[in-house]
Amino acid sequence: MTTIQPGDETAQSGTPAFTAPRGCPADITRLYGTTPDAGRDELWAALRERHGAVAPVELETGVRAWLLLGYHENLTVLQNPHMFARDTRRWREVVEGRVDLASGRPALSWRPNVLYADGAEHTRLRGAVVDALARVDMAATSRMVRQLCEELIDGFVAEGRADLVAQYANPLPVLVVNRLYGLSDSYGHMLGDLTAIIFDEDAKRGEDAIARVHQYFSGLVDRKRERPGPDLVSWMLEHPAGLSGHEVAHQAALINSASHQPTTHLIGNTLRTLLSDNRIRGAYTDARLPVQELLDHVMWTDTPFQILPARFALQDILIGSAEVRAGDALLIGFDSAHRDPAVRRADDDGTGVASGSRAHLMFGAGPHACPARELAKMIAATAVTTLHERLSGMQLAVDPEELCWMPSPFLRGLRALPVSFAPGEPSTLDPAAVAGEPASSRGEGHRDPSAPDPGEDEALEGDLLDRLLSWWRGLRG
């Protein structure tokens, strides 16, 4: 038995002192169910007082794990892949037959992508993803994101009211990623609709949407093999790591899923903060608070990721006072870690922003840290800045207490963010001028992937993406 104490990077000998997750049910706290209106702050505090840095929890009936509450415990687990694996097939509940990974638990399933890989396989897959993302021209992509923000705002600016989640924060990230795949916005809107259904509470519709999303990425890879371009999928297909088409489809799906909901709720939570905290809004409006510092504050105090599943112990180990057995699941507690009294500090600069907020864990740490963090922050910063510039007199259309949160134990985000503002005019900016040079190439002389190919929606006659788009358009009438 080894032990980890706060701040340790290596394990030392110790003595077990706690019951494993399959122990007394009275000690197990359920994380599923309705999210309290005030969030789970009080729950984290109660668990910390009762159990210390690590608490036994239940994700659903009979599905138990450890939740890491302490900041240093979370960081240590993230930074030590030789002690904590990411591959869910190592989970003792799976090995011993109590959990079936194919039974519809998306957060705890297994996919052949870099998120669930360890060791040499992780290195091979991550290399293809990182190298493809490195070829994205961030300056040009920033202009493309600004163009998309302007177009989304144009869709509701004349109304004087909007739901900033459904009409703005939710569609934006998937439209950006879809363009970086080299497809026109029709496909992005379709992918956004399907992704939203997956996160809805209708299980039957969700299963059908998952199947359609798989078709999207399979069709995307097939099309890019036939017609490669300056886009993320084509770059992964040609990478020297030699990924199969099946593997590229799964990496592309991961890029979308990892960027969509977290970025949506980073934008939504940031806008909610500006609309409900007069001190922070004043500092931002007066240019005393740069947008990147505002985002860091939100990622620290209202992080879109509450919990990230999961790591799996590769040996028996003592973390804090919890006796973790080999194969146990350890949930990364971002939100609880940020509220750890050992690292939590008040603001000291007069803006209302938490001191030390740049130390947030939203993008992870160690070898599995998010390779697209700069892209995600740029999308969120552009979204917040553009909206602030375009909408005059923006305010919440309901009392802050009436805002409803998603029920997910993993994500922290609003179902809707209704606002009112002074009606305005659509933008007069030329989309071509806003988009600028190619968004995903650096001097390679390719077309701009933010703009549709001639005849893109017709594409390759009868290919899978074409048929899927026709099906989606039929649903929309």
Side-chain angles (χ1 to χ4, degrees):
M1 174 72 68
T2 54
T3 184
I4 288 180
Q5 296 298 333
D8 283 358
E9 294 183 358
T10 58
Q12 301 172 349
S13 62
T15 303
F18 199 74
T19 308
R22 297 200 65 80
C24 175
D27 288 334
I28 309 294
T29 298
R30 295 179 178 179
L31 292 183
Y32 52 93
T34 304
T35 302
D37 292 338
R40 291 185 166 90
D41 298 3
E42 294 183 2
L43 174 60
W44 307 149
L47 288 176
R48 198 186 315 276
E49 181 177 358
R50 181 175 182 181
H51 299 291
V54 186
V57 296
E58 194 171 61
L59 287 170
E60 57 185 79
T61 303
V63 180
R64 297 173 180 174
W66 297 104
L67 173 62
L68 298 168
L69 299 167
Y71 181 91
H72 295 293
E73 287 76 12
N74 275 279
L75 191 59
T76 298
V77 170
L78 289 169
Q79 292 179 332
N80 285 277
H82 62 288
M83 297 172 64
F84 306 99
R86 187 63 185 88
D87 190 335
T88 53
R89 294 171 298 182
R90 293 177 177 267
W91 190 8
R92 187 156 50 85
E93 301 294 285
V94 173
V95 173
E96 297 179 2
R98 288 183 290 272
V99 167
D100 178 6
L101 291 179
S103 63
R105 298 182 180 93
L108 289 165
S109 61
W110 179 86
R111 298 286 185 270
N113 65 41
V114 64
L115 181 64
Y116 297 102
D118 294 306
E121 184 66 1
H122 174 262
T123 300
R124 183 179 76 92
L125 295 175
R126 185 178 174 90
V129 173
V130 169
D131 291 347
L133 288 169
R135 296 179 69 173
V136 172
D137 186 326
M138 289 295 286
T141 302
S142 176
R143 291 190 286 274
M144 177 263 283
V145 174
R146 174 67 187 238
Q147 175 204 347
L148 284 170
C149 290
E150 297 280 4
E151 291 176 357
L152 289 170
I153 294 170
D154 285 348
F156 56 75
V157 66
E159 299 296 322
R161 62 185 184 277
D163 173 0
L164 295 183
V165 171
Q167 295 175 264
Y168 190 64
N170 192 52
L172 178 61
V174 72
L175 286 171
V176 172
V177 170
N178 181 77
R179 285 198 182 186
L180 293 177
Y181 292 154
L183 297 179
S184 67
D185 288 347
S186 296
Y187 297 96
H189 287 295
M190 174 182 68
L191 182 58
D193 279 359
L194 293 173
T195 304
I197 293 172
I198 291 174
F199 283 91
D200 200 359
E201 297 177 25
D202 188 326
K204 183 174 178 57
R205 291 184 71 221
E207 290 178 6
D208 182 60
I210 289 173
R212 299 291 183 177
V213 168
H214 287 167
Q215 290 177 358
Y216 170 96
F217 287 104
S218 295
L220 174 60
V221 169
D222 289 345
R223 181 175 294 183
K224 292 305 172 180
R225 274 178 162 167
E226 181 74 21
R227 189 197 303 174
D231 57 75
L232 291 175
V233 173
S234 297
W235 292 334
M236 286 191 286
L237 282 169
E238 69 185 34
H239 193 271
L243 273 63
S244 68
H246 179 70
E247 288 175 326
V248 170
H250 277 281
Q251 310 322 305
L254 174 62
I255 291 172
N256 175 65
S257 62
S259 63
H260 186 187
Q261 292 292 304
T263 308
T264 287
H265 296 305
L266 176 57
I267 296 168
N269 293 357
T270 302
L271 294 173
R272 184 194 72 87
T273 297
L274 286 173
L275 291 165
S276 60
D277 190 319
N278 291 332
R279 188 179 179 191
I280 288 179
R281 183 170 185 168
Y284 177 71
T285 302
D286 296 343
R288 291 181 290 118
L289 177 61
V291 67
Q292 291 294 347
E293 291 185 19
L294 171 61
L295 292 174
D296 284 333
H297 168 77
V298 172
M299 286 186 278
W300 182 262
T301 61
D302 201 14
T303 180
F305 267 137
Q306 292 188 110
I307 296 171
L308 179 69
R311 298 295 189 272
F312 304 91
L314 295 177
Q315 63 187 65
D316 292 351
I317 191 167
L318 191 70
I319 307 179
S321 60
E323 181 187 349
V324 177
R325 291 194 287 165
D328 280 355
L330 297 153
L331 304 176
I332 307 301
F334 289 158
D335 192 41
S336 57
H338 294 170
R339 301 178 192 282
D340 186 344
V343 296
R344 182 88 172 183
R345 289 172 287 176
D347 67 284
D348 57 9
D349 62 359
T351 64
V353 170
S355 175
S357 57
R358 289 184 181 177
H360 63 79
L361 299 176
M362 176 174 163
F363 297 112
H368 277 278
C370 177
R373 66 179 69 195
E374 295 307 318
L375 177 62
K377 290 193 294 183
M378 181 271 286
I379 294 171
T382 305
V384 172
T385 301
T386 306
L387 194 77
H388 182 73
E389 293 172 355
R390 288 286 307 275
L391 300 188
S392 175
M394 183 171 58
Q395 59 184 0
L396 285 173
V398 298
D399 290 335
E401 294 77 17
E402 295 181 41
L403 296 173
C404 295
W405 297 95
M406 295 182 63
S408 169
F410 304 111
L411 289 169
R412 164 78 170 172
L414 294 168
R415 289 179 176 271
L417 184 58
V419 297
S420 61
F421 48 86
E425 297 293 328
S427 172
T428 58
L429 291 176
D430 179 2
V434 176
E437 69 263 27
S440 58
S441 63
R442 286 183 171 153
E444 297 179 1
H446 295 293
R447 68 172 180 82
D448 183 352
S450 70
D453 272 339
E456 174 74 59
D457 287 350
E458 287 72 29
L460 304 176
E461 183 177 357
D463 78 351
L464 183 55
L465 268 181
D466 189 34
R467 295 194 299 272
L468 187 61
L469 185 65
S470 295
W471 166 82
W472 173 73
R473 284 173 167 166
L475 287 183
R476 293 168 62 90

